[in-house]
Amino acid sequence: MSDHALALPALPAVAPRRRVDHDDRAALSLVGPIAVLMLLLLLAPTAAMIALSLTDAELGASTITFVGLDAYRDVLGDRTFLISAKNTALYVAIVTPASVGLGLGFALLIEAGTELRGFFRSAYFLPVVSLITAMATVWQYLMHPAIGPINLLLHVVGLPSINWLGSSDNVLGSLALIGIWQQTGFDMVLFLAGLGAIDRTLYDAAEIDGARSAVDRFRLVTWPMLGPTLLFVVTITMINAVKVFETVMTLTQGGPAKASEVLLWTIYQEGFVFLHLGTASAMAVIFVAVLLVLIVFQTRVMDRRVHYG
Amino acid sequence: MSGLPESFAAIEGVEPARLELDGVSKSYGETTVLDRVSLTVARGEFVALVGPSGCGKSTLLKMVAGLEFPDAGHVRIAGTDVTDVRAADRDVAMVLQSYALYPHLTARQNLALPLVMRRLTGRQRLPFVGRFLPGTRAQLAAIGADVEKAGRALKIDHLLDRKPAAMSGGQRQRVALGRAMVRDPRLFLMDEPLSNLDASLRVHTRAEIVDLHKALGATTVYVTHDQEEALGMADRVAILHRGRLLQVASPEIVYRDPSRIEVASFIGSPSIGLIEAVIDDRGRAIVFDRPIAEGFAAQAGATVRVGIRPEHLRIGGHDDAILPARLDRTEFLGADALAHLRLPDGAPIVAKATPEIYRGFVPGPVGLAWNAADLLVFDAAGDRLRPRFDAATVTAERAHV
Ligand SMILES: Nc1ncnc2c1ncn2[C@@H]1O[C@H](COP(=O)(O)OP(=O)(O)O)[C@@H](O)[C@H]1O
Ligand SMILES: [Mg+2]
């Protein structure tokens, strides 16, 4: 804001000065409140977090000393954090393509069929509106090694039962399954909106041009026209996946043997269980930085490919 | 003009197809959009389908293209019944109302698309792999050459590598036209291709489309809501009104000899003046107690509507006047001028002449006169009433039928 005010005199004085001042003040009074709110609610906590990450702050300790980038060095060398980062990356790599793909598939099916459309729309959206902590208990029951219906079902068809959440080999996959269940409906609804916004006459043009099969129409019209939606859905899905926490918190607590240790869980433990505010802040800064890089990459690089206007 | 015919002489046209619509009807739920429309378009003919917005023109054209299917009736192209054949299998080219160019493809790719879809097999069209299948390269080269040729003919060769978003409305329109004609259509459909262009470009492109039709020779159905466009471009004009085809005839006939009152009102600008009259026991049409036309077989007491084209209405003194009127104002339009008048009951009516004729006219009482032969009279149902014993009209009627 002040930058703008300072830069003004340097501009060639085309318009009468008083007018410019007036417009400026109006602009300030309009932008002001929201700018102050953003400063207070978003930027200030971020700044505090960055500041804390440069100290050895511990909750309950009486002194705080500036330790520079020590916390970052510790974090990047910390085995738990590295496992956590790897697990999170794996979780994102499973959940994103699966829920985006399934969401698109369901959206296309719903769009193609006429009956039951409303039913499916709400059925698949259910996970989005249901409270994940409550649903997690349901999943715990479903995936229970002994009495869980999923294993019972496996037993009925003659397959060996699986230790879904209790084995370090399976736990991340099981969590990813729940993550996919959670995200697919949301992605589907976004895709439905995207499909609805496609200009119908393009399908007429495709038909006239000789696109006979559904595959041809999809390749020629649906897929390219869905580009902006796809970009948005992938971004949102990745961010949601990176932020996986509730299921870990309620079902596995990061275990067994750190096999479901994920970033937010690690940060939460470091900050609120071990009370190492400095280290937790450094982790959070790294976490946010990675998220930002992802978002910037997607909006800058991909945007150019999917918007044709 | 513009070397179009020459460029197209190189493209060997496919045999133009004859189009027959036979009692085609279509309803959406309760609303009947098309009501038993029958129309035959001869091979190579240019027919304009004209009517007010929402009368069913686009629906009818889509039915010919195979994008919509009739509830009743038949569509035949080149003698083959295609009523239930989908668009992709009809081999019909169409310029859609909004152009519907693929926004993610360049003009070149847009033009090539119908050729790629038709000339390459499904496997040849596979991404990456298709390229290496036998014959793909030769086909793609031929398609590229055809696209270049069409691009040159439409003078969009410099735009071929642009995407639609980077083009003006006129340029997009040409690309849409190119996409339709690049594959030598035997039947060419256009849905208001000029309605998004500004006035001067519209007049220019009108002439180009007529030239294009002459060069390609394809049977053409051209939809427009602009009666001037229809009259100026088409061999025959088909007037659609509320889903019913009212008259199909040459531009001159639909203007001079309309069969229905809706045709008379829709064709011509400014539109025809209509005066309500009552037939007396001697077969004369009476308005404000004065006989204004005679020789009608209608029953005494029947109400008729008497139509007078603006250019047939003469403004003079009171002595030779058929009807008294009031002149409100004159309007100078360049080559023409309009006189806005009011009949004794206050109903407005417009006269048209050269500006010299109206020079010095001032608002006030005037007399209106016309030649009885120029009147177009319609009965209460809107059908044309022709005076008996009128040799001129009888001849016209025979020619029409
Ligand atoms: N898919 C549809 N569903 C319901 N009504 C339709 C549909 N398509 C067209 N109509 C109706 O049919 C009428 C004719 O439409 P259209 O053929 O587009 O008219 P025009 O092209 O002459 O302006 C309009 O009243 C329109 O509302
Ligand atoms: Mg239309």
Side-chain angles (χ1 to χ4, degrees):
Chain A
M1 230 56 46
S2 53
D3 272 6
H4 180 48
L6 283 177
L8 257 185
L11 289 172
V14 184
R17 278 300 307 275
R18 256 212 282 148
R19 180 63 194 278
V20 172
D21 281 352
H22 180 78
D23 283 357
D24 231 33
R25 221 171 298 138
L28 261 179
S29 69
L30 287 172
V31 176
I34 191 73
V36 169
L37 269 180
M38 276 180 67
L39 271 173
L40 279 179
L41 296 178
L42 291 175
L43 295 182
T46 311
M49 179 177 74
I50 293 175
L52 271 179
S53 75
L54 302 173
T55 70
D56 67 348
E58 284 191 24
L59 219 59
S62 49
T63 58
I64 288 188
T65 31
F66 178 81
V67 295
L69 296 176
D70 277 5
Y72 288 89
R73 212 182 38 219
D74 290 350
V75 165
L76 290 176
D78 180 37
R79 209 178 69 87
T80 308
F81 183 77
L82 293 181
I83 291 174
S84 176
K86 198 197 78 192
N87 284 343
T88 310
L90 199 60
Y91 179 88
V92 172
I94 300 171
V95 169
T96 308
S99 46
V100 170
L102 284 174
L104 178 58
F106 284 131
L108 288 172
L109 282 179
I110 291 178
E111 182 77 7
T114 43
E115 296 152 45
L116 295 177
R117 192 183 289 203
F119 168 75
F120 281 118
R121 220 184 275 240
S122 10
Y124 288 106
F125 200 60
L126 207 62
V128 183
V129 291
S130 55
L131 216 58
I132 185 60
T133 32
M135 292 311 275
T137 348
V138 176
W139 278 104
Q140 190 162 35
Y141 164 66
L142 288 174
M143 290 180 162
H144 191 280
I147 59 157
I150 300 182
N151 273 355
L152 291 183
L153 210 68
L154 286 179
H155 184 74
V156 166
V157 296
L159 290 172
S161 60
I162 294 171
N163 191 354
W164 294 99
L165 296 167
S167 131
S168 54
D169 287 339
N170 296 339
V171 66
L172 201 64
S174 303
L175 288 176
L177 219 59
I178 301 174
I180 294 166
W181 168 81
Q182 235 182 303
Q183 188 64 34
T184 298
F186 186 60
D187 289 357
M188 181 203 73
V189 171
L190 291 176
F191 278 125
L192 274 179
L195 286 174
I198 297 177
D199 180 1
R200 296 285 110 186
T201 60
L202 285 177
Y203 289 103
D204 284 349
E207 174 79 29
I208 299 249
D209 286 344
R212 274 180 194 77
S213 66
V215 175
D216 279 340
R217 279 192 302 274
F218 182 79
R219 269 176 52 189
L220 187 56
V221 181
T222 313
W223 181 251
M225 293 303 107
L226 223 42
T229 310
L230 182 73
L231 173 67
F232 180 69
V233 172
V234 168
T235 310
I236 285 282
T237 306
M238 280 181 90
I239 291 173
N240 278 346
V242 171
K243 289 188 333 196
V244 57
F245 178 73
E246 294 95 332
T247 44
V248 176
M249 169 86 183
T250 46
L251 294 177
T252 67
Q253 305 267 307
K258 295 193 197 298
S260 64
E261 188 85 34
V262 292
L263 282 177
L264 274 193
W265 172 252
T266 311
I267 294 173
Y268 166 77
Q269 289 249 302
E270 194 69 20
F272 293 93
V273 179
F274 308 134
L275 306 179
H276 297 153
L277 284 192
T279 332
S281 298
M283 287 178 176
V285 169
I286 295 173
F287 177 80
V288 170
V290 169
L291 219 54
L292 269 181
V293 168
L294 277 180
I295 296 169
V296 168
F297 168 77
Q298 289 189 330
T299 45
R300 285 286 157 78
V301 181
M302 299 302 290
D303 218 35
R304 238 169 280 151
R305 301 240 219 122
V306 297
H307 284 112
Y308 317 111
Chain B
M1 78 200 232
S2 67
L4 258 177
E6 192 196 327
S7 329
F8 279 107
I11 304 177
E12 266 310 312
V14 190
E15 273 289 280
R18 173 185 163 94
L19 166 69
E20 289 161 84
L21 297 173
D22 184 5
V24 168
S25 298
K26 177 83 183 177
S27 314
Y28 292 109
E30 292 288 287
T31 38
T32 302
V33 176
L34 292 171
D35 185 11
R36 285 160 293 163
V37 173
S38 295
L39 170 69
T40 301
V41 183
R43 288 175 43 196
E45 197 182 12
F46 190 124
V47 166
L49 188 61
V50 68
S53 227
C55 69
K57 307 181 295 290
S58 294
T59 308
L60 188 61
L61 207 64
K62 282 182 179 174
M63 217 95 79
V64 176
L67 296 172
E68 297 273 1
F69 297 94
D71 300 333
H74 293 273
V75 180
R76 277 184 286 273
I77 296 174
T80 315
D81 191 320
V82 293
T83 311
D84 299 318
V85 177
R86 59 186 293 192
D89 297 323
R90 280 197 195 180
D91 192 21
V92 165
M94 179 167 178
V95 179
L96 289 154
Q97 189 159 4
S98 56
Y99 307 152
L101 297 176
Y102 307 109
H104 60 294
L105 300 181
T106 61
R108 188 189 303 280
Q109 291 167 320
N110 265 287
L111 288 190
L113 204 101
L115 300 181
V116 169
M117 281 294 171
R118 268 153 221 280
R119 292 190 196 166
L120 296 187
T121 62
R123 259 184 296 152
Q124 284 178 315
R125 278 189 279 113
L126 283 179
F128 311 119
V129 194
R131 221 161 260 279
F132 302 105
L133 289 174
T136 314
R137 270 164 195 283
Q139 287 282 21
L140 286 178
I143 289 172
D146 284 354
V147 168
E148 286 281 343
K149 200 187 291 175
R152 275 198 303 278
L154 284 170
K155 284 180 282 171
I156 48 170
D157 34 349
H158 61 293
L159 300 171
L160 285 179
D161 292 311
R162 279 199 214 167
K163 288 188 177 169
M167 296 180 205
S168 70
Q171 292 168 335
R172 274 180 224 166
Q173 190 265 347
R174 296 179 97 80
V175 175
L177 213 55
R179 183 173 64 175
M181 52 154 262
V182 70
R183 50 181 234 232
D184 298 329
R186 53 184 189 154
L187 180 57
F188 203 162
L189 311 175
M190 292 185 246
D191 195 351
E192 310 211 9
L194 307 184
S195 61
N196 297 330
L197 305 185
D198 58 59
S200 68
L201 197 56
R202 210 178 305 163
V203 172
H204 176 78
T205 316
R206 217 193 266 181
E208 281 191 326
I209 290 180
V210 171
D211 286 343
L212 189 67
H213 170 253
K214 284 210 186 85
L216 288 173
T219 309
T220 303
V221 182
Y222 182 100
V223 161
T224 175
H225 66 265
D226 181 347
Q227 50 93 25
E228 207 176 298
E229 225 170 86
L231 295 184
M233 296 172 77
D235 298 327
R236 282 193 304 154
V237 179
I239 294 111
L240 197 61
H241 182 85
R242 295 203 182 153
R244 293 183 51 221
L245 206 51
L246 297 181
Q247 189 171 11
V248 186
S250 72
E252 265 208 55
I253 297 284
V254 295
Y255 185 78
R256 286 190 202 287
D257 196 13
S259 60
R260 290 276 312 172
I261 194 165
E262 296 89 351
V263 177
S265 320
F266 188 74
I267 302 287
S269 169
S271 45
I272 193 166
L274 289 167
I275 305 170
E276 205 155 288
V278 177
I279 302 290
D280 71 359
D281 50 9
R282 284 156 60 193
R284 299 179 305 174
I286 309 289
V287 183
F288 309 120
D289 299 330
R290 295 166 188 242
I292 59 168
E294 53 186 19
F296 296 103
Q299 235 179 347
T303 310
V304 298
R305 309 252 269 164
V306 179
I308 311 165
R309 295 260 180 225
E311 65 272 28
H312 295 148
L313 203 54
R314 288 196 307 271
I315 303 174
H318 276 286
D319 359 309
D320 65 333
I322 305 175
L323 271 186
R326 252 193 86 79
L327 177 65
D328 278 352
R329 64 192 178 90
T330 60
E331 187 180 346
F332 175 74
L333 294 179
D336 299 319
L338 301 181
H340 296 272
L341 302 140
R342 277 186 193 284
L343 296 174
D345 62 351
I349 192 165
V350 178
K352 183 164 100 174
T354 56
E356 293 76 50
I357 292 183
Y358 294 155
R359 189 168 295 146
F361 274 34
V362 287
V366 291
L368 297 180
W370 55 78
N371 294 335
D374 290 329
L375 295 181
L376 301 169
V377 184
F378 302 89
D379 67 15
D383 279 320
R384 180 77 179 280
L385 272 185
R386 298 169 198 277
R388 291 168 297 180
F389 319 122
D390 188 328
T393 331
V394 171
T395 321
E397 200 168 8
R398 284 225 185 89
H400 173 201
V401 168

